[in-house]
Amino acid sequence: MILVRAELADLPRLLKFRTDAAAWLTQLGIDQWSKPFPADHIAESIRRGEVFMIKEAPHWDAAATVTLDRDADPRLWTPEERSEDALYVHKLSVDRRYAGADLGGRILDWCGDRAARVGAQWLRLDAWTTNPRLHSYYRAKGFTHVRTSDDPSVVSGWAAQRPAAFSSTHGLDDSDLEGVTAG
């Protein structure tokens, strides 16, 4: 699998990741991502070079996507935590065709490797507050739950982190991503 930086032309596919995931989650009785995400927000992340697509080959459809940035939600992370060097995982989605192959885990390991390479101390994320299955998944991937926000405006309020760590075992080829510093 290779990682490529998303381009604005990929925006429809990135939005489809969310709608497909929302449909699958709805079948499981989970309301995650049930509201459409603003396309302009994703477009801004693409312009900043923070959105990545994971593919089997350069011209194939994406198998997964992740946004990796320094965008710490102040409703989730304290001022002290925001002052620590960290990268944040957002919008991680794996196409259902690749479910069960631990592609999500490999992407998280790549993100942790990226964080270590830029000198960050932490890899952090937030997850949908009412999705305990996802919380368990992240715990199994080495994340420690920090807190869950009680702010009613925060739907993705389960905050977690793990130390940034170099990884050579994720198996994702990022050699075409020269100069990626994630923010």
Side-chain angles (χ1 to χ4, degrees):
M1 293 278 202
I2 61 169
L3 278 111
V4 298
R5 201 182 301 265
E7 300 175 358
L8 287 174
D10 297 317
L11 187 56
R13 177 61 177 116
L14 294 167
L15 292 170
K16 186 172 178 355
F17 269 113
R18 281 187 76 91
T19 57
D20 288 354
W24 173 69
L25 290 163
T26 297
Q27 291 175 354
L28 299 176
I30 299 168
D31 68 345
Q32 183 172 335
W33 292 352
S34 56
K35 293 168 95 174
F37 197 79
D40 60 331
H41 183 79
I42 296 173
E44 282 304 312
S45 295
I46 292 170
R47 287 184 191 99
R48 288 189 302 268
E50 301 165 342
V51 182
F52 303 94
M53 298 179 77
I54 297 83
K55 300 179 174 193
E56 289 192 55
H59 301 290
W60 288 32
D61 186 24
T65 182
V66 67
T67 298
L68 186 62
D69 60 29
R70 295 185 183 273
D71 188 16
D73 188 333
R75 301 171 302 170
L76 296 177
W77 302 100
T78 68
E80 294 79 18
E81 290 164 340
R82 291 193 316 271
S83 72
E84 297 171 338
D85 201 356
L87 292 185
Y88 295 81
V89 174
H90 302 283
K91 302 174 199 72
L92 173 60
S93 300
V94 175
D95 189 289
R96 297 304 308 151
R97 293 173 296 164
Y98 295 88
D102 196 33
L103 183 54
R106 292 170 54 202
I107 294 167
L108 289 169
D109 289 346
W110 177 83
C111 291
D113 182 67
R114 269 307 107 187
R117 288 176 189 262
V118 300
Q121 177 183 3
W122 298 106
L123 180 64
R124 291 180 171 152
L125 53 78
D126 56 81
W128 203 259
T129 305
T130 59
N131 188 343
R133 180 175 169 179
L134 186 57
H135 307 164
S136 294
Y137 172 81
Y138 285 131
R139 281 190 180 106
K141 296 301 177 187
F143 285 85
T144 300
H145 177 239
V146 175
R147 76 183 54 80
T148 300
S149 172
D150 59 4
D151 182 334
S153 71
V154 179
V155 294
S156 194
W158 187 87
Q161 65 185 12
R162 74 180 193 193
F166 292 103
S167 171
S168 60
T169 60
H170 55 71
L172 302 175
D173 179 359
D174 63 359
S175 59
D176 289 337
L177 298 178
E178 291 181 37
V180 171
T181 59

